[in-house]
Amino acid sequence: MKVLVVGPGGREHALVRSLLADPYVREVHAAPGNAGMAQLVPVHAVNASSPAEVTALARQLGSDLVVIGPEAPLAAGVADALREAGIPVFGPSKAAAQLEASKAFAKQVMAAAGVPTAMARVAATPEQAADALDTFGAPYVVKDDGLAAGKGVVVTSDRDEALAHAQSCFDVGGTVVVEEFLDGPEVSLFVISDGRTVVPLAPAQDFKRIHDGDEGPNTGGMGAYSPLSWVPADLVADVVRRVAQPTIDEMAARGTPFVGVLYCGLALTSRGMRVIEFNARFGDPETQAVLARLRTPLGGLLQAAAKGELDQLEQLKWDPRTAVSVVVAAANYPEAPRTGDRVRGLKKAGKIDGVHVLHAGTRLDGDGKVVSSGGRVLAVVGLGDDLAAARDKAYAGVEKIRLDGSLHRTDIALKALRGEVVVPAGSQGAEPAAGRDLPDGDVAPRGMADRDIADSDVEGDLA
C-alpha cells in the first residue's frame, strides 16, 4: 500500500511510525506533517482541512489509503470528498463526525442507543446555563458544544468560573453542554469501526490537566499510559457491548455509517461505567502509547476498516510491555504558548533503549533546525517490562530534551504505579441492560418513542 496520513501532530507522527513498520506498506506520505515526520517520510504543504487540496494530493500520489488524523478535517468533510473520488479513506464522513463536532448530537445518539452517560442539559443563554449548573450542583462541568481541540471543557467547584466559560462560548455564537460530574477514574478506549463491525484496541489513561496532581486548566493532554492493570477484566467487552456497538448500529440506522476510530472517553463511577465523551478520531496523547504496543500491522487494520472488511480480521496482537508517553509543552501552554524556540536533545533521547520521540508542534527553521511551532511540542514514549520501567525510560528521555521554558508533568502513571487508582464498587454490572438517565434519575428504556426524545430535547435535557 501507499498511504497518505493527514495532519500535523503527535498522533499523526505515531500513525506514520506504525505504518512504516507494516511490511505491506511500501510508501507513506504526510500532509502537512511536522519536523519529526519530515525525517521519516515525504511531507506536503497542503491545508489539511481543505477537501479539494487533500483529494488532489491523494490523486497525485496514487494513494491506496488516506488516514485522517485530526478532528478539523473530518468536520470539514475531507473524508467525504475522498470517498466521492473513489479513494479508500480511514475516517468518518462529516455527518458521522458530528459525534465529536457536536456534544449535543452525541448525547442524542447515546440516548437513542441506550448508552450510559452523564445527565446533561444544552444551554444557549446565561440563564439556561445557570439553571443547569444549579440543577446538577458542584463540581460543575461545562463543555463547549463544538470542536475545541480538547480544551473546551471546564470542571470546577467555582460557579462563577463555570458561568464565565459558558459565557465565552456564547460570545462567539456557540452553545454549551452542562453535565453532572462523574466520579471515578477515567479510561480511554479506541474502537476501530468499518460501519458495522467494531474492533477494540487496548485501553489507556490520559492526563488532561496541565500540572501535577491534576491541577490547573485542561489541555489537549499531557501524557498517557497503556495497558491498565487496574481496570475490571471484562471492561473492554463491556464497552463494546453497551457503548461502541450500539453507537455504531445507531449511526448506521441513521444512514450515516461511522467508518474510522471511535474514541470512547469513559468514567468508572460508583453508579457504573459512563461515557464522558466521544471523539471521531484517535486521541492524542493516548495514540502515542497505544500504538507503541500494537504488533498487528496497522496499515492492514485501517484498510480493512476503510473497505468494510473488519469481520475478516484476525485477533489483534500486542506487545506485552507497558508504554508511557510524556508530553513536553511549550512555555506559557495552554493559554498562550510561545513558539519558535529551538528544540535540542532529540537524538540523545532517541538513543535510549526503549525510547522514541514523537513530534507534535515542531517545524524546521531556515537553518534546518527543529523549533517549536505549537503548544504541545513533543511526546517522549518509553516501553518497559512493567509500568515502573516504562516510566523510568520515558522520563529519562524527557531529561535529554532542552526547550527553553518548557513544562511537563512528573506524575504520569504515578498513581497507578503506587496502586492508588481506585475503581469504585459498583462500577461494573450496575447498569440497566439498555437505557438512559433522565434528570429525575429514572431510566428510559432503549427504543423509547422519537416524540419522547424530542420532548426531552425541547426541555434542554439530554441523557
Side-chain angles (χ1 to χ4, degrees):
M1 284 185 291
K2 180 186 287 188
V3 184
L4 171 62
V5 176
V6 177
R11 162 188 46 233
E12 290 76 43
H13 192 175
L15 288 165
V16 165
R17 183 176 182 273
S18 291
L19 287 165
L20 287 172
D22 185 334
Y24 300 104
V25 173
R26 63 183 175 88
E27 196 172 321
V28 179
H29 292 253
N34 58 37
M37 283 183 266
Q39 296 171 2
L40 301 175
V41 301
V43 296
H44 305 268
V46 302
N47 178 356
S49 294
S50 167
E53 288 188 36
V54 175
T55 301
L57 176 61
R59 278 178 169 154
Q60 175 191 330
L61 295 174
S63 301
D64 300 299
L65 176 67
V66 178
V67 179
I68 301 176
E71 58 272 30
L74 296 171
V78 172
D80 302 75
L82 289 162
R83 288 193 177 95
E84 289 172 7
I87 301 170
V89 56
F90 181 81
S93 65
K94 181 177 181 179
Q98 283 292 104
L99 279 176
E100 177 172 5
S102 170
K103 293 176 178 60
F105 174 79
K107 287 289 186 181
Q108 293 165 355
V109 170
M110 283 187 262
V115 171
T117 187
M119 296 183 291
R121 289 186 175 182
V122 178
T125 66
E127 293 75 21
Q128 291 175 351
D131 183 61
L133 292 173
D134 294 339
T135 296
F136 296 128
Y140 305 108
V141 182
V142 182
K143 298 180 177 182
D144 188 337
D145 186 35
L147 296 177
K151 292 174 282 190
V153 181
V154 165
V155 181
T156 178
S157 294
D158 186 330
R159 187 173 181 275
D160 290 340
E161 181 183 0
L163 283 172
H165 179 62
Q167 186 62 56
S168 69
C169 297
F170 301 148
D171 288 343
V172 294
T175 58
V176 297
V177 174
V178 180
E179 293 186 353
E180 65 168 333
F181 176 77
L182 298 176
D183 64 329
E186 296 184 10
V187 175
S188 301
L189 183 68
F190 302 143
V191 179
I192 308 297
S193 169
D194 62 5
R196 298 176 294 109
T197 303
V198 299
V199 174
L201 302 187
Q205 186 178 53
D206 79 330
F207 297 78
K208 288 294 187 188
R209 302 280 188 164
I210 185 67
H211 299 306
D212 286 4
D214 293 323
E215 298 290 336
N218 269 349
T219 70
M222 294 300 294
Y225 67 101
S226 177
L228 310 180
S229 62
W230 46 267
V231 299
D234 60 346
L235 176 67
V236 172
D238 196 41
V239 174
V240 169
R241 178 177 62 87
R242 296 198 290 124
V243 175
Q245 192 67 61
T247 299
I248 296 304
D249 291 345
E250 174 64 22
M251 294 300 289
R254 291 172 177 237
T256 53
F258 187 99
V259 177
V261 58
L262 180 67
Y263 169 107
C264 303
L266 311 164
L268 305 186
T269 80
S270 57
R271 295 191 297 119
M273 177 261 294
R274 294 285 192 274
V275 174
I276 301 171
E277 65 174 349
F278 284 144
N279 289 337
R281 38 76 191 180
F282 283 106
D284 186 344
E286 297 97 328
T287 302
Q288 289 88 318
V290 172
L291 290 188
R293 300 184 54 244
L294 182 65
R295 289 295 168 260
T296 297
L298 180 64
L301 172 61
L302 302 187
Q303 187 181 55
K307 293 187 173 182
E309 299 172 353
L310 279 180
D311 58 346
Q312 303 174 27
L313 200 70
E314 295 181 358
Q315 186 172 355
L316 301 185
K317 295 181 174 63
W318 295 93
D319 189 321
R321 293 178 294 175
T322 296
V324 173
S325 171
V326 179
V327 169
V328 177
N332 303 323
Y333 179 75
E335 290 85 2
R338 192 174 74 207
T339 60
D341 289 322
R342 176 80 183 277
V343 183
R344 295 178 171 86
L346 295 169
K347 290 182 179 179
K348 291 181 180 179
K351 287 181 179 178
I352 300 173
D353 181 49
V355 173
H356 61 272
V357 180
L358 298 170
H359 292 231
T362 66
R363 63 177 176 82
L364 297 177
D365 66 9
D367 297 322
K369 304 297 185 181
V370 177
V371 298
S372 61
S373 64
R376 292 183 297 167
V377 181
L378 305 166
V380 181
V381 182
L383 271 170
D385 290 336
D386 55 27
L387 186 55
R391 286 190 82 253
D392 287 346
K393 288 178 180 292
Y395 280 108
V398 170
E399 288 302 312
K400 299 294 184 183
I401 302 298
R402 294 290 177 265
L403 173 63
D404 288 347
S406 67
L407 63 154
H408 65 272
R409 284 184 59 157
T410 66
D411 64 346
I412 302 300
L414 185 57
K415 284 187 177 181
L417 179 63
R418 293 174 173 171
E420 296 173 355
V421 180
V422 179
V423 179
S427 65
Q428 292 286 93
E431 302 294 343
R436 69 187 187 101
D437 288 330
L438 296 174
D440 60 5
D442 291 335
V443 174
R446 186 174 181 175
M448 73 184 297
D450 290 341
R451 174 183 54 79
D452 295 331
I453 295 175
D455 288 346
S456 178
D457 294 348
V458 169
E459 293 285 332
D461 297 326
L462 294 170

